[in-house]
Amino acid sequence: MPDSGAAGPSVERAFRWTGEFADRALEETYARANWAETRSRLRAVLIAVYIFVGWSAFDLLLIGFGWAFVALMAARLATLAVALTALKRYTSYDDNRKFLRCVMTMQALVAIVSPVSLVLGQTDFAASLLAVVVVIFAFYVGMPTALRATLANSLALSVAFVAICPWLADVSPAALAQIAALFVVVNAIGVEMVRAANRLRRNGFLTLVRQQELYEQLKREVEVRREAEQAVRATEESFQNLFYAAPLPISLVDPADYKLVQANIAALKLFDISEEDAKGFDVRTFFTEENLDARLERLLVSGRAGVPVEFRLTRRDGSTIWALVSAATVQFQGRAALLIGIQDVTARHKEAETLREARDQATAASRSKSEFLANMSHELRTPLNAIIGFSEALERELFGPVGNPRYREYAEDIHDSGVHLLSLINDILDLSKIEAGHFNLHEDETELDHLVQAAMRIVRHRAQQANITIECELPSPPIFLVADERALKQVLINLVSNAVKFSPNGSTVRIETQICAESLRIAVIDKGIGIAEHDIPRALTPFTQVDGSLSRTHEGTGLGLPLAKHLTELHGGTLTIESQVEAGTTVYVDLPLSRVVGRDTPSKESAIL
């Protein structure tokens, strides 16, 4: 059954030229609802079919027994058989298409047999014309078929009769034209009758449906109203008990003047007032807010319980408390009232203030530390550069031999220690600059292959010492991107150095680059000792080192991965780690595609160094 909006008689419905609904779903609903009427119409027509079959007696008298009579008799009996099949076999609406096909077949047989019978029986012309007109009107008025099928059969019968007129009587061309015009009028009248009847039936159907829906809606509304009245009575009966027994402070306030109507025991105890003093008390005296009206309006704007608002309240003894206040509009004893709930959060407020102060102090201390380290760049690097330079001069004996070879070994150790310390200080200073917000990217267009190759050259010596092979898979044609070359190179150096450091001798470290759907991805893959999943967040924390093996401990400061992560994020990218203990680690650096200059689909070529 269609919905209320679809079936409303006030809505102008679109009809086809046949008078049927243009909406197929609505027409289907109508046909299903009127299925019994459709079958009843065919039962009424069945009487005419019996008469049609009985007409064979006249055929026998007029044309005698022969092949023509047998053919006509067979066609008449077939008409009856089709009608009985439709009524007896196709009783369910699910078979309505087969039912209608039977009716249309019956019409077609009548349309064929009628003119043939008239010709063979040499029936009087006037009687023949009247019989055909009656049959056509019977098609339009009695047959429960679609108008298209009825019109097609009627037109066919009309054309056939006009064609056989010369065999029935001596008809002049003018009379033949008049007969043709008569059939046009008959068919036009029949079509209009069916169209009007179809529209009338369907509009009546819509009206009945709408009335039924209105009736159902009225029943639901009456039921809802009855249930609501019962709920209101039950609520009124239990409200007082629930109100006074509530463990939280609750009060009823007149919204016109904010006078207290009722307050439960918890509310009286919270504000240290007696029940006698509470009657007619102005609750606004408890509030110490300067913009009280605006805050109360914010609290009550919705008229229903919403997000509580925090207020500072003053008790009768002068002490101050903090409370979360919520309000809702209710009906109490036939008038509107504000149901106000109060939750004392003084202790929580004090704890929050203490935590806020501690957090501010910690943030200030961290910021001071970061700014101090960032500002110490020159002071720390200058003496180290001198140590490295002088030790390198002694190591290479630039100004003559140093004498004892041990002095040269000491100079080499001093140089290596200075370089290591400078690298550590550079990492600390870069990380401090990032945390302090002083690290600025110097972006320029650079080639990705150049960055990867440069990082591999720096780490190659350590990899060769550990008998580790570094493989890289670079795209072709090369990718150009806009980035800080030094910062991105530092990311790659840190990641490849980590992979080499934690890989077993004779293993392979791979560097892969590819353009994905949403990013430029650089992956550093090793088959080393790996990291447990719960240790990955620690590995990304500065100055934290995860020992992935029970048998060996690796040197390091724990700055490589955190610094690489921060430098990647400064480029608008992300650094993620996938790892499994004793299976290896894969670190993904995903940079935005907006940094790629040109996005040709790469065909990869492998290079092994």
Side-chain angles (χ1 to χ4, degrees), residues 75-96:
R76 293 180 188 274
L77 292 176
T79 304
L80 178 61
V82 170
L84 292 175
T85 300
L87 286 173
K88 301 298 183 181
R89 184 173 181 180
Y90 304 129
T91 59
S92 171
Y93 178 76
D94 294 335
D95 299 323
N96 69 314

Side-chain angles (χ1 to χ4, degrees), residues 535-583:
D535 284 332
I536 291 178
R538 292 183 56 212
L540 295 172
T541 303
F543 304 103
T544 301
Q545 190 175 25
V546 179
D547 189 7
S549 172
L550 297 176
S551 60
R552 59 189 278 199
T553 301
H554 302 276
E555 63 176 9
T557 60
L559 291 177
L561 284 176
L563 183 58
K565 179 176 182 294
H566 285 303
L567 291 175
T568 301
E569 291 173 349
L570 284 176
H571 284 83
T574 58
L575 185 145
T576 54
I577 299 176
E578 293 181 1
S579 185
Q580 187 175 354
V581 176
E582 303 300 336

Side-chain angles (χ1 to χ4, degrees), residues 298-450:
R298 173 189 169 193
L299 178 66
L300 305 175
V301 65
S302 63
R304 57 185 176 85
V307 179
V309 179
E310 188 175 277
F311 286 93
R312 185 174 58 189
L313 308 176
T314 303
R315 305 173 64 194
R316 290 290 292 274
D317 60 4
S319 59
T320 300
I321 62 173
W322 291 91
L324 286 176
V325 180
S326 58
T329 302
V330 297
Q331 290 295 322
F332 178 71
Q333 296 179 351
R335 60 175 180 171
L338 295 178
L339 180 63
I340 297 179
I342 303 171
Q343 181 182 1
D344 186 1
V345 293
T346 304
R348 189 173 71 186
H349 194 273
K350 291 180 179 179
E351 292 175 0
E353 285 292 336
T354 302
L355 291 175
R356 190 180 299 110
E357 291 176 0
R359 184 196 63 192
D360 293 342
Q361 291 176 1
T363 301
S366 177
R367 186 182 299 110
S368 299
K369 177 264 298 180
S370 298
E371 291 180 353
F372 170 76
L373 290 176
N375 292 330
M376 289 295 293
S377 173
H378 178 73
E379 287 75 6
L380 291 174
R381 284 174 174 155
T382 299
L384 275 177
N385 287 332
I387 292 172
I388 294 171
F390 293 154
S391 61
E392 186 175 358
L394 292 174
E395 179 188 354
R396 296 184 180 181
E397 299 179 336
L398 297 178
F399 302 105
V402 295
N404 194 322
R406 294 180 65 86
Y407 290 147
R408 188 168 58 188
E409 294 177 5
Y410 292 157
E412 183 177 353
D413 292 340
I414 292 171
H415 178 268
D416 292 342
S417 299
V419 170
H420 178 72
L421 185 57
L422 180 61
S423 175
L424 171 61
I425 290 174
N426 285 335
D427 289 346
I428 294 174
L429 291 175
D430 287 343
L431 192 61
S432 299
K433 282 184 177 181
I434 293 173
E435 291 180 349
H438 295 163
F439 193 98
N440 296 321
L441 295 178
H442 300 284
E443 299 181 351
D444 198 0
E445 184 175 321
T446 184
E447 185 179 347
L448 181 61
D449 292 14
H450 170 71

Side-chain angles (χ1 to χ4, degrees), residues 522-540:
I522 304 172
V524 178
I525 307 167
D526 67 67
K527 300 298 181 181
I529 58 178
I531 308 172
E533 184 177 356
H534 63 273
D535 284 332
I536 291 178
R538 292 183 56 212
L540 295 172

Side-chain angles (χ1 to χ4, degrees), residues 152-189:
N153 285 320
S154 298
L155 289 176
L157 181 56
S158 300
V159 171
F161 184 80
V162 172
I164 66 173
C165 278
W167 283 270
L168 295 176
D170 187 11
V171 181
S172 65
L176 194 63
Q178 291 177 351
I179 294 172
L182 174 63
F183 280 117
V184 171
V185 172
V186 169
N187 282 283
I189 293 174

